[in-house]
């Protein structure tokens, strides 16, 4: 493995934490004897082009500095290659980093961890989800949660996570279950009413909400969490349990383990790793061993 490491940096992640996280992470890698190159971009497309150039040029690892959105962008560069992906978690959610078990919001520790793991050969193959040519690492969300994202993204005020709390309140006021069409693996298309359907390669989204609590990154399957046609009162009661993953036992919640799923519903946007993927319908496939990661 080459001793050159590429830091893939989002300077705006976590309201500026991404830029501050890059320096201590780079210092830790250099102290361990690695040559560090930093990749930025004028926009997401330019950043991805530069990351792909680094991967094709033979970099020893691509280490994403930022939140889940930045990691999602990095996945587009490394999926299907032999280049390992490392994570310096500096966003607001950091669900992918938590799933891997690497340091969160501690860039110096994350840099030291990556250096030690690379030297020890601690590289894992994990699964990814794929929709068309887009990859994702944690959860594809659709339904009530994606409507909250839609509304929050349209709001100019307030800043930060609080606007998504307000967006949730507004969506609850207008809440109703959505008519879905769903097909699991190669089974028949079924019509159901659901509050939300989440496709979990990893277990959590939104900064620790364990919506797909039983999902594993390396089992070759998605966990599909279907929250059925519950009332507004039931949703308010059940939703806090998502942080502990105990919602899974509720009668209105069903979980399916599949390799492929098709989701269709009018007016619903799919979000993957917190990033907008596009309007339903989508077909998501679990691809075993799609990416190498630096992890315990």
């Amino acid at each position: 493995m080459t001793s050159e490491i590429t830091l893939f940096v989002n300077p705006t992640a976590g309201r500026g934490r991404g830029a501050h996280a890059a320096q201590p992470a780079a210092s830790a890698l250099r102290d361990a004897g690695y040559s560090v190159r930093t990749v930025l971009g004028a926009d997401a497309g330019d950043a991805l082009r530069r990351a792909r150039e680094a991967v094709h040029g033979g970099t020893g690892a691509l280490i994403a500095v930022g939140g889940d959105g930045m990691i999602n962008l990095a996945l587009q560069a490394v999926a299907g290659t032999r280049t390992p992906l490392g994570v310096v978690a500096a966003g607001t959610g950091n669900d992918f980093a938590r799933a891997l078990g690497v340091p969160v919001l501690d860039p110096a520790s994350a840099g030291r961890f990556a250096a030690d793991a690379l030297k020890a050969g601690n590289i894992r193959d994990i699964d990814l989800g794929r929709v068309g040519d887009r990859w994702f690492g944690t959860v594809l969300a659709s339904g009530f949660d994606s409507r909250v994202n839609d509304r929050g993204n349209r709001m100019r005020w307030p800043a930060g996570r609080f606007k998504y709390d307000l967006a949730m309140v507004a969506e609850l006021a207008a809440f109703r279950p959505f008519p879905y069409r769903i097909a699991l693996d190669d089974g028949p298309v079924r019509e159901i009413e659901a509050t939300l359907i989440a496709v979990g390669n990893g277990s959590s989204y939104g900064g620790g909400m364990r919506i797909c609590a039983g999902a594993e990154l390396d089992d070759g399957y998605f966990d599909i969490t279907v929250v059925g046609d519950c009332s507004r009162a039931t949703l308010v009661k059940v939703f806090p349990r998502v942080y502990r993953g105990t919602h899974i036992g509720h009668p209105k919640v069903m979980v399916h383990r599949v390799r492929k799923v098709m989701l269709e519903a009018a007016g619903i946007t799919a979000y993957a790793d917190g990033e907008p993927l596009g309007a339903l319908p989508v077909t998501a496939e679990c691809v075993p061993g799609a990416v190498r990661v630096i992890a315990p």
Side-chain angles (χ1 to χ4, degrees):
M1 178 182 290
T2 177
S3 63
E4 182 188 87
I5 303 298
T6 301
L7 282 187
F8 188 40
V9 181
N10 179 1
T12 65
R15 289 185 252 176
R17 283 198 299 266
H20 294 295
Q23 185 172 351
S27 295
L29 287 160
R30 291 190 180 104
D31 289 345
Y34 288 97
S35 171
V36 178
R37 173 190 173 202
T38 300
V39 167
L40 298 165
D43 52 34
D46 182 52
L48 178 57
R49 179 184 62 79
R50 292 170 185 264
R52 283 175 168 156
E53 286 176 353
V55 169
H56 294 157
T59 187
L62 185 72
I63 298 182
V65 183
D68 288 322
M70 191 62 176
I71 294 163
N72 180 270
L73 194 61
L75 288 174
Q76 314 312 312
V78 297
T81 76
R82 299 297 295 165
T83 302
L85 173 68
V87 176
V88 175
T92 53
N94 304 312
D95 290 286
F96 190 81
R98 289 190 177 93
L100 293 182
V102 303
V104 173
L105 299 180
D106 187 345
S109 292
R112 288 192 295 269
F113 170 83
D116 293 343
L118 284 168
K119 288 184 176 182
N122 291 340
I123 308 295
R124 291 173 57 195
D125 291 334
I126 66 167
D127 311 333
L128 293 177
R130 183 173 62 192
V131 176
D133 60 357
R134 289 279 301 276
W135 301 90
F136 66 93
T138 56
V139 175
L140 184 154
S142 73
F144 176 76
D145 44 7
S146 65
R147 281 288 184 89
V148 171
N149 259 329
D150 284 342
R151 185 180 289 269
N153 291 342
R154 292 194 301 268
M155 293 168 62
R156 297 180 180 230
W157 182 91
R161 295 181 68 95
F162 185 54
K163 72 177 178 180
Y164 292 98
D165 294 335
L166 290 180
M168 181 177 292
V169 171
E171 284 299 321
L172 276 172
F175 171 74
R176 58 174 178 76
F178 306 101
Y180 275 90
R181 287 164 52 85
I182 180 172
L184 303 174
D185 285 331
D186 294 318
V189 175
R190 294 184 294 132
E191 296 186 356
I192 63 171
E193 294 277 324
T195 300
L196 64 86
I197 299 178
V199 180
N201 183 57
S203 62
S204 71
Y205 64 179
M209 299 171 68
R210 302 185 65 229
I211 187 67
C212 300
E216 301 285 347
L217 290 174
D218 56 2
D219 64 355
Y221 288 89
F222 289 136
D223 275 30
I224 312 295
T225 299
V226 180
V227 179
D229 57 343
C230 59
S231 66
R232 183 182 297 112
T234 299
L235 180 59
V236 170
K237 182 179 179 180
V238 171
F239 204 77
R241 294 168 57 177
V242 172
Y243 286 95
R244 301 186 303 276
T246 57
H247 64 293
I248 296 299
H250 193 276
K252 286 292 186 179
V253 178
M254 294 188 64
V255 177
H256 308 276
R257 299 188 74 244
V258 301
R259 296 184 184 273
K260 184 172 68 174
V261 60
M262 186 282 293
L263 298 176
E264 181 178 348
I268 299 295
T269 302
Y271 283 78
D273 296 337
E275 299 296 303
L277 189 62
L280 299 187
V282 298
T283 296
E285 178 185 5
C286 182
V287 182
V291 68
R292 307 179 78 208
V293 292
I294 302 168

